[in-house]
Amino acid sequence: MSIETSIGLETGQPYPYRAPELVEPDWTRFPGWRDVTVADWESVQWQRSHCVKNPAQLKAVLGDLVADSFYADLERDQAERATMSMLLPPQMLNTIASRETPRGPGSLTEAFHADPVRHYMLPVFSDRRTDWPSHPYSTRDSLHEHDMWVTEGLTHRYPTKVLAELLPTCPQYCGHCTRMDLVGNSTPTVEKLKLTGKPNDRLVAMLDYLRRTPGVRDVVVSGGDVANMPWPRLEAFLTSLLEIESIRDIRMATKALVGLPQHWLQPEVVAGVERVATLARRRGISLALHTHANHAASVTPLVARATRAMLDAGLRDVRNQGVILDGVNADPHALLDLCFALLDGAQIMPYYFYLCDMIPFAEHWRTSVADAQRLQTAIMGYLPGFATPRLVCDVPFVGKRWVHQLTSYDTVHGVSGWTKNYRTSIEANDPEALTRTYPYYDPIHTLPEEGQRWWAENVAPDSGSMTPAQAAAMSRRAAALQAT
């Protein structure tokens, strides 16, 4: 990652601000969508039924505008590296190479390889690192959320907050998903953990725990993605949460606001959100929507319309929680472009940007803590203070920490130390929980030569050196252990 900036000619500032102009890319530039009407495009049913789930379906959309070598690269990644299966709504796919004009066979190949949205939504084998595809300490459930389940799908990690994973599916699958252990279909390298309880029983158990635990005031309702839950069931769960006296904040988490805004524009969904928001306001409870955009190209007029519909329906706020990804947004210009597209273009509050978590096969996306610190410094002063996103490192067993909050940092070996001021739900009897220093690891390829050599000489090869069959077998064993 490079965060050096050039002086803007118009303003003399390192970042020359321009008011963002959102554009809905022309989907008819792709052969497979040449005859798709505006009515079809804005239909959530059409979007869901035309999601791209494999290389053959992608080729049916793009045709020969992308060379066969790209499809082969994609197929190899799906077979040997992918932790998430393919699932792209047309809305999201349309934001890839969105400013390129097709000029015949193969004319979009280079643009697709270089595109930042493609880089995280549609990873190919040649993206991945060959030296350290995975960090030696990467894990399937890198944040140990399942270890902190107080009932299936309900993670009590922070003293006053819980995460409710209502379902294990999304309308789109991001390659870097931190919940790759649970969410989506199994891949050749990852046998997914399955929720075992009946859906209604799990929701009842979550609500029962919250009624019995008045110290919890904040519930993140997630998954997967709440957009994949039938609205009547989601509304019933939200209404039940609003009846619990201790709950003061409810946040619905959905990538679909960006990847499938058509869902949040459905009249029945808008009307339902208005009912829940009215009830929340009457009871003095904050109801917000959290989404996930990583690049300005994915913020289109439809995204802005869906956000406006949610705010008009009475939500307190719509916020973005993105991920810092090398090759996508890990430089000041790209990150500020995204923040202004969100804030000025779509009325979405830039909120958090997380460092990419230490999951398998993610090293090509990850950045060092030092680079994240420089990136945080570089974006300061351009956005209003209330809309300047915090860059955070989600440290295993610790939680979210601003990237400058570390207590120690060995930059040669890439090991940072972090402390915390609360116990998680698995540390009630641990006397050292608040005095222990917890480690976090930079990507090895970002270290100086001395540090890279130390890791190569002292640490066993990571899972990236396994064959797909070996990795899949290890993954199945891990899933079986977690299920029990």
Side-chain angles (χ1 to χ4, degrees):
M1 179 184 79
S2 174
I3 65 169
E4 288 75 21
T5 58
S6 58
I7 299 298
L9 297 178
E10 296 92 340
T11 65
Q13 299 293 349
Y15 175 79
Y17 168 78
R18 297 181 183 87
E21 181 180 355
L22 304 189
V23 176
E24 204 71 50
D26 177 15
W27 56 86
T28 65
R29 73 191 188 281
F30 295 143
W33 294 337
R34 192 159 288 147
D35 299 322
V36 175
T37 66
V38 172
D40 284 339
W41 191 261
E42 296 188 359
S43 162
V44 68
Q45 290 80 12
W46 187 91
Q47 288 278 332
R48 286 188 183 273
S49 64
H50 289 82
C51 284
V52 171
K53 301 177 183 177
N54 55 58
Q57 290 180 353
L58 181 65
K59 190 169 186 178
V61 174
L62 305 179
D64 62 3
L65 295 177
V66 173
D68 287 342
S69 58
F70 178 85
Y71 300 114
D73 204 2
L74 176 60
E75 288 176 348
R76 185 178 181 188
D77 193 74
Q78 286 288 302
E80 299 182 30
R81 289 291 183 265
T83 59
M84 300 298 293
S85 55
M86 278 182 62
L87 184 64
L88 277 84
Q91 173 74 27
M92 181 57 82
L93 177 54
N94 192 40
T95 64
I96 298 176
S98 58
R99 300 191 178 188
E100 299 294 325
T101 301
R103 303 186 186 279
S107 60
L108 294 186
T109 305
E110 184 177 348
F112 256 70
H113 271 294
D115 189 84
V117 176
R118 195 284 307 163
H119 196 60
Y120 74 95
M121 286 303 307
L122 199 64
V124 294
F125 188 86
S126 61
D127 292 337
R128 313 274 182 176
R129 298 198 64 86
T130 56
D131 49 1
W132 298 93
S134 302
H135 194 279
Y137 293 152
S138 65
T139 58
R140 293 167 52 107
D141 179 18
S142 65
L143 303 181
H144 305 280
E145 289 179 336
H146 303 160
D147 296 332
M148 302 177 201
W149 277 0
V150 289
T151 183
E152 188 178 49
L154 188 67
T155 300
H156 194 167
R157 188 180 184 196
Y158 299 98
T160 62
K161 300 181 284 187
V162 296
L163 166 70
E165 297 171 272
L166 302 191
L167 71 171
T169 63
C170 294
Q172 66 177 43
Y173 292 141
C174 308
H176 63 278
C177 181
T178 188
R179 296 198 184 112
M180 47 73 60
D181 191 44
L182 172 70
V183 171
N185 300 319
S186 295
T187 72
T189 57
V190 179
E191 184 77 15
K192 304 285 179 165
L193 176 67
K194 302 297 183 183
L195 295 172
T196 58
K198 294 180 179 179
N200 190 61
D201 291 345
R202 288 191 295 103
L203 302 189
V204 167
M206 291 179 187
L207 293 167
D208 181 60
Y209 177 82
L210 294 172
R211 294 185 187 104
R212 292 184 285 106
T213 315
V216 174
R217 63 171 301 284
D218 184 353
V219 182
V220 177
V221 183
S222 183
D225 192 312
V226 295
N228 269 20
M229 193 169 195
W231 178 259
R233 289 187 59 213
L234 178 58
E235 182 173 352
F237 183 77
L238 294 171
T239 301
S240 296
L241 283 179
L242 292 170
E243 294 171 352
I244 299 175
E245 186 62 32
S246 59
I247 303 302
R248 311 314 304 161
D249 276 284
I250 299 173
R251 295 176 270 169
M252 295 182 285
T254 175
K255 302 181 194 74
L257 188 71
V258 173
L260 190 66
Q262 293 85 350
H263 171 82
W264 295 102
L265 285 166
Q266 295 177 94
E268 61 272 24
V269 173
V270 175
V273 170
E274 185 170 10
R275 287 191 296 271
V276 178
T278 299
L279 183 59
R281 192 163 52 249
R282 188 182 306 145
R283 297 186 177 178
I285 299 172
S286 172
L287 180 67
L289 196 70
H290 282 199
T291 193
H292 181 169
N294 290 325
H295 194 270
S298 61
V299 185
T300 75
L302 271 171
V303 174
R305 277 175 52 192
T307 304
R308 183 71 261 167
M310 293 296 96
L311 293 172
D312 288 347
L315 292 188
R316 173 172 177 173
D317 208 351
V318 178
R319 309 180 186 113
N320 184 66
Q321 294 187 156
V323 179
I324 295 299
L325 300 168
D326 198 12
V328 179
N329 55 22
D331 73 78
H333 283 226
L335 195 58
L336 285 168
D337 284 349
L338 170 57
C339 290
F340 283 118
L342 291 165
L343 185 64
D344 294 353
Q347 295 184 281
I348 298 173
M349 184 71 66
Y351 176 45
Y352 276 142
F353 282 98
Y354 295 83
L355 273 66
C356 182
D357 289 319
M358 292 176 58
I359 57 171
F361 303 125
E363 292 305 278
H364 64 295
W365 284 309
R366 295 180 62 232
T367 59
S368 68
V369 172
D371 275 343
Q373 290 174 335
R374 288 193 284 270
L375 186 57
Q376 178 77 81
T377 299
I379 67 170
M380 298 301 291
Y382 289 96
L383 292 147
F386 63 83
T388 300
R390 295 171 178 170
L391 272 62
V392 296
C393 183
D394 209 340
V395 183
F397 295 112
V398 175
K400 292 185 290 294
R401 285 292 184 268
W402 303 349
V403 292
H404 288 86
Q405 282 187 291
L406 45 72
T407 58
S408 62
Y409 197 3
D410 176 353
T411 56
V412 172
H413 297 94
V415 184
S416 48
W418 308 76
T419 58
K420 61 182 180 180
N421 58 331
Y422 53 81
R423 289 180 171 84
T424 66
S425 58
I426 60 174
E427 298 167 319
N429 300 314
D430 183 354
E432 298 179 0
L434 304 186
T435 57
R436 182 182 296 115
T437 298
Y438 299 81
Y440 181 82
Y441 302 94
D442 285 345
I444 293 171
H445 69 271
T446 66
L447 304 181
E449 184 177 347
E450 177 187 352
Q452 294 189 43
R453 186 169 60 249
W454 184 91
W455 281 94
E457 293 173 353
N458 291 279
V459 179
D462 71 331
S463 59
S465 63
M466 297 181 182
T467 66
Q470 290 171 326
M474 176 175 285
S475 180
R476 284 191 292 271
R477 287 195 294 272
L481 287 170
Q482 288 181 328
T484 57

